[in-house]
Amino acid sequence: MKMGAMRSALAAAVLVFVGTAASAQQEALVIRGGRVHTMVDESAIDNGTVVIRNGHITAVGGPDTIIPSGATVIDASGLQVFPGFFDAVTRLGLTEIGAVAVTSDFRELGENNPQLRGATAVHPASEILPVSRSNGLTHAVAAPQGPGIAGQGSLIHLDGWTIEEMLIEGGVYMAVQWPTVQTRGFDRATRTRINRTYQEAKELYDESIADLEALLADARRYAEADVGDDPTRRSLKLEALAWVTGGDMPMLINVDTERGIGDAVDFAERNNVRIIIAGGSAAWKVAEMLAEKNVAVILGPTQALPTNDDDPYDAPFTAPAKLHSAGVRFAISTFNASAARTLPYEAAQAVPFGLSHHDALRAITISPAEILGVDDRLGTIEVGKLANLFISDGDPLETTTQIEHLVIAGLPVDPRDNKHDRLYERYSGRPRPRGDQQ
């Protein structure tokens, strides 16, 4: 075949493939017969129907809901339908093996890199993503972590061949590690221990906060300046921070101590920026103040030990209920990659300690979407929202429950297509050793 004819044939093949994929995307997907928990409220639709087309939910109702002709139908009779779980602070796609540095790309060298986005480093072929999906997670935020301003958290679907397919929003918050008062440390350059007085440590702490405020002031001045198209005057760092100072992006401040949380709230008020407290193991101690200031909290794992020796043993278990009782908007996250699959159980742990079952589900579905301002697209099963949902054989907060079907961006995804299940099948079928008569 001549080169010109080969190019023509290849182009025709590509057009056929693209046309086939596009038409397949246009076909409706219907979930019928299950108990649909929309998470709009505490009610559920028995024998419900969910219609999906072009990646979005187009109809939600009972058995009389009209089903488009030619639709693919998933029979969910006897099963439960829920919106996909949302892990709002993770290293998903950024870390493969935590102990192997070359497989981790969640932090950059140096401090203060607001121009960086987690999506840039996401590895779509990560084996951890399918494992997380198998427990009902359909979307998450890949968040840079590190000293100072680590970068922007990127909201992604947990399925896709490329980051372009996975990406929902490039930057939903600016991740910031709040400084701490440290009287002891280690200088890696000289490999010596550092001992400071409290006064010295407090001065360094105050200097770090002052440096952060100076950066925000620079960003405001930069936004007011007419940089134009002159590349020599352009600053990617200040451009990114201008989204924070302009109110378009909140700062996700990772801080755990009672004093640190209070200082972070004061910092936000002084600088007129929106913040979200991340981690917040001591947030329950200042819950009334957080409610009064309307500051949301994304809690870390509840299946953890108390942060301080004098905290109650059940402090991580009761924190969600205490925040809820005080009127604080909160969500629960894993702040992890390999442990992201435990997200439903982090929420479940709070239920015996005062949080209602419905509010535990909210903490990993609609609540993080509301806190991050994406509840118009995610978090509930409603018309117009992205079709990220799953079908289970029981309560998804129970460890015995299995995810039977998974839908991400309107397309079915096999929840059992993951490394854990493949290894289970492989070794459960292993032949007995010779001479083994058992």
Side-chain angles (χ1 to χ4, degrees):
M1 183 182 290
K2 293 183 179 180
M3 187 62 68
M6 185 178 296
R7 288 198 188 99
S8 298
L10 179 59
V14 170
L15 287 174
V16 169
F17 173 77
V18 172
T20 302
S23 62
Q25 178 69 353
Q26 292 293 324
E27 292 178 1
L29 175 67
V30 176
I31 299 170
R32 184 173 63 182
R35 182 173 171 81
V36 180
H37 303 261
T38 65
M39 293 306 298
V40 174
D41 52 37
E42 296 190 43
S43 63
I45 304 172
D46 288 320
N47 196 13
T49 302
V50 181
V51 181
I52 298 165
R53 191 191 291 273
N54 295 339
H56 290 76
I57 298 169
T58 59
V60 181
D64 297 331
T65 303
I66 298 175
I67 297 177
S69 61
T72 299
V73 178
I74 297 175
D75 184 6
S77 300
L79 302 175
Q80 311 287 320
V81 185
F82 289 90
F85 291 149
F86 185 176
D87 202 346
V89 187
T90 76
R91 294 181 183 176
L92 284 169
L94 306 178
T95 295
E96 197 66 16
I97 304 172
V100 181
V102 294
T103 71
S104 294
D105 196 8
F106 59 86
R107 66 182 294 172
E108 188 55 86
L109 295 175
E111 294 187 15
N112 301 325
N113 296 288
Q115 77 281 8
L116 300 182
R117 286 185 165 182
T120 306
V122 167
H123 180 45
S126 168
E127 291 282 9
I128 300 177
L129 299 182
V131 172
S132 302
R133 294 196 304 253
S134 69
N135 252 11
L137 277 71
T138 58
H139 47 284
V141 178
Q145 297 176 29
I149 304 174
Q152 302 167 46
S154 297
L155 177 58
I156 58 173
H157 295 295
L158 297 189
D159 183 57
W161 286 97
T162 65
I163 185 57
E164 288 77 14
E165 291 182 1
M166 300 169 66
L167 192 63
I168 302 173
E169 189 165 328
V172 290
Y173 53 65
M174 190 69 71
V176 178
Q177 180 63 53
W178 193 253
T180 57
V181 178
Q182 293 184 326
T183 57
R184 295 181 181 181
F186 184 78
D187 188 334
R188 295 189 178 185
T190 61
R191 301 189 66 81
T192 56
R193 294 187 180 278
I194 299 173
N195 292 301
R196 305 184 184 94
T197 64
Y198 174 80
Q199 183 176 352
E200 292 171 336
K202 183 64 165 58
E203 288 176 356
L204 289 175
Y205 173 80
D206 292 338
E207 286 176 11
S208 297
I209 298 174
D211 289 343
L212 188 56
E213 291 186 315
L215 271 175
L216 294 179
D218 289 344
R220 285 194 175 88
R221 286 190 289 269
Y222 180 88
E224 294 171 357
D226 184 14
V227 175
D229 298 326
D230 185 355
T232 63
R233 300 180 61 197
R234 189 180 180 193
S235 170
L236 297 179
K237 288 189 176 184
L238 296 182
E239 278 185 18
L241 277 180
W243 297 331
V244 173
T245 58
D248 298 318
M249 182 182 294
M251 299 180 81
L252 182 88
I253 297 184
N254 198 331
V255 57
D256 282 312
T257 65
E258 184 177 353
R259 176 174 55 190
I261 293 172
D263 288 346
V265 172
D266 291 341
F267 164 87
E269 290 185 335
R270 286 197 308 272
N271 293 277
N272 193 28
V273 294
R274 293 187 295 128
I275 67 167
I276 301 166
I277 299 299
S281 59
W284 58 276
K285 298 179 182 180
V286 290
E288 292 183 3
M289 180 270 291
L290 292 173
E292 179 185 347
K293 304 291 186 180
N294 193 28
V295 176
V297 179
I298 300 180
L299 291 169
T302 60
Q303 299 181 112
L305 295 173
T307 303
N308 299 314
D309 292 340
D310 56 351
D311 284 344
Y313 79 93
D314 60 356
F317 312 155
T318 60
K322 290 178 179 177
L323 292 179
H324 181 264
S325 297
V328 178
R329 294 180 300 134
F330 76 96
I332 296 174
S333 188
T334 64
F335 292 69
N336 204 292
S338 59
R341 61 188 175 82
T342 68
L343 180 65
Y345 314 134
E346 305 299 346
Q349 183 66 38
V351 174
F353 291 86
L355 191 68
S356 73
H357 185 274
H358 177 72
D359 288 325
L361 285 170
R362 280 187 56 88
I364 53 176
T365 53
I366 183 59
S367 289
E370 291 174 342
I371 290 171
L372 299 185
V374 294
D375 52 306
D376 59 330
R377 289 171 279 173
L378 295 163
T380 59
I381 300 178
E382 290 184 89
V383 173
K385 293 197 175 183
L386 287 169
N388 282 9
L389 49 87
F390 65 84
I391 304 170
S392 64
D393 64 3
D395 180 356
L397 300 189
E398 296 284 347
T399 58
T400 55
T401 296
Q402 297 295 311
I403 306 300
E404 299 293 339
H405 300 277
L406 193 69
V407 177
I408 297 180
L411 298 175
V413 179
D414 185 359
R416 292 184 173 82
D417 183 15
N418 62 77
K419 189 172 184 178
H420 285 196
D421 276 87
R422 290 195 299 272
L423 290 176
Y424 172 79
E425 294 296 333
R426 177 180 178 182
Y427 286 101
S428 63
R430 177 186 177 187
R432 293 192 181 96
R434 292 178 182 177
D436 186 355
Q437 302 300 319
Q438 299 298 323

